[in-house]
Each structure stands twice: as structure tokens, then as C-alpha cells.
Amino acid sequence: MSALHYPLTGVIADAAAALAGGAFCALLTFSVEPGSFSFYVAGPLAAIFLGYGGLTLLRARMRIVICDAGVRCEPGGRSIRWDTLSGLELAYFSTRRDREDGWLQLTMVADDGGRLRVDSRITNFELLVAHAARAAEARAIPLDPATIHNLSAVTLPRG
């Protein structure tokens, strides 16, 4: 059994950015005339930033537990048993035009429609990808070309 978590340094940086963006937009919202264009733009942006900050703080508490039977997210209890895996996608999201910088997101789908998404900023992401890829291969789940390409780009541990 392995437990994966998001590094605290990354979580703190994301939370600080969300707080700064939310504070700026909230300040702008309260400094302009109610009913103005800026009011209707800055208010929802403040809510989005603060909502993202809340999700980031939840991520700080999150653990992904991998075992031979499946994968489970704590807290929350979402889980997928490997023998019920029905879909797998490994997507790359670039932050630059030259696609040199970005992150991967693994989406696992169960027979009952349950989904679990995990991004590559989590510790030992490659271990989770390896387990999911083995389960997908064992169940003969068809993979899209982008997922196949991204799986070949990830250094998968043996075992």
C-alpha cells in the first residue's frame, strides 16, 4: 500500500496566489460603483479565486491511497477498484506555447461511472500511473492516442 500526497510547498504557493487574486478582485469590487461593468467582472472573479483557494486547501489534506485492489481518495472516500476500471486518460496541459512546461492529469473511470482525477504534482505520480496502466491493460481498455503518447513519456516504475 502506498499513500500519495501533494507537497506542502506547492499547495502554499497555489493558496497564496488564490488569496492574492481574490483579495485584489474583492478590493476592486468594493471600490467601484455598484452596477458598473467593473463591479460585475471583479465580483465573480473574486469568488472564483477564493473558491480555488478553498479547493487548494482541501488538496493539502488529500491523500491518494494505492493498493493491489484499487485506489482511494481520502478524505472523501472516492475509490476505484482496479477490477472495475472502465476508462483511463492521461492528458498533458501545457503552460507554454513550446509545450516544454506543464502538467499531466490522470483520469480514471469505474464501471459505475465514478471518476477520480489526479494531477502530476502529487508525490509518486508515476506509481499511480503505472498501477492504472497495468489495470487498463489487464481489462483491455482501449486508450486514445494522446493517452498512449503520454504514457510513453512517463517513466513508469516496475513492479
Side-chain angles (χ1 to χ4, degrees):
M1 182 167 74
S2 299
L4 288 57
H5 65 279
Y6 285 95
L8 196 53
T9 54
V11 172
I12 290 171
D14 286 351
L19 181 61
F24 175 77
C25 290
L27 182 64
L28 183 61
T29 300
F30 294 118
S31 67
V32 297
E33 188 78 29
S36 69
F37 177 76
S38 297
F39 180 84
Y40 288 115
V41 171
L45 282 175
I48 289 169
F49 275 115
L50 295 175
Y52 177 72
L55 290 174
T56 300
L57 294 177
L58 287 175
R59 181 177 286 154
R61 294 186 51 223
M62 186 168 73
R63 288 182 347 138
I64 301 292
V65 179
I66 306 168
C67 65
D68 292 338
V71 59
R72 179 178 71 250
C73 178
E74 298 174 350
R78 285 180 291 159
S79 64
I80 294 181
R81 291 183 47 85
W82 297 129
D83 61 359
T84 67
L85 188 70
S86 63
L88 183 72
E89 179 181 294
L90 185 60
Y92 178 71
F93 297 94
S94 180
T95 57
R96 293 181 17 186
R97 242 188 178 161
D98 61 8
R99 299 187 57 81
E100 287 296 317
D101 195 22
W103 72 93
L104 291 164
Q105 178 177 279
L106 178 68
T107 303
M108 297 167 282
V109 182
D111 287 337
D112 65 2
R115 288 181 188 274
L116 189 57
R117 285 189 181 101
V118 181
D119 71 56
S120 58
R121 293 178 290 179
I122 201 162
T123 60
N124 295 323
F125 179 72
E126 296 81 8
L127 180 64
L128 176 59
V129 171
H131 275 83
R134 280 194 296 273
E137 184 178 16
R139 298 206 69 208
I141 296 170
L143 304 176
D144 62 71
T147 295
I148 293 168
H149 176 266
N150 292 332
L151 280 170
S152 68
V154 175
T155 305
L156 299 177
R158 299 255 180 223

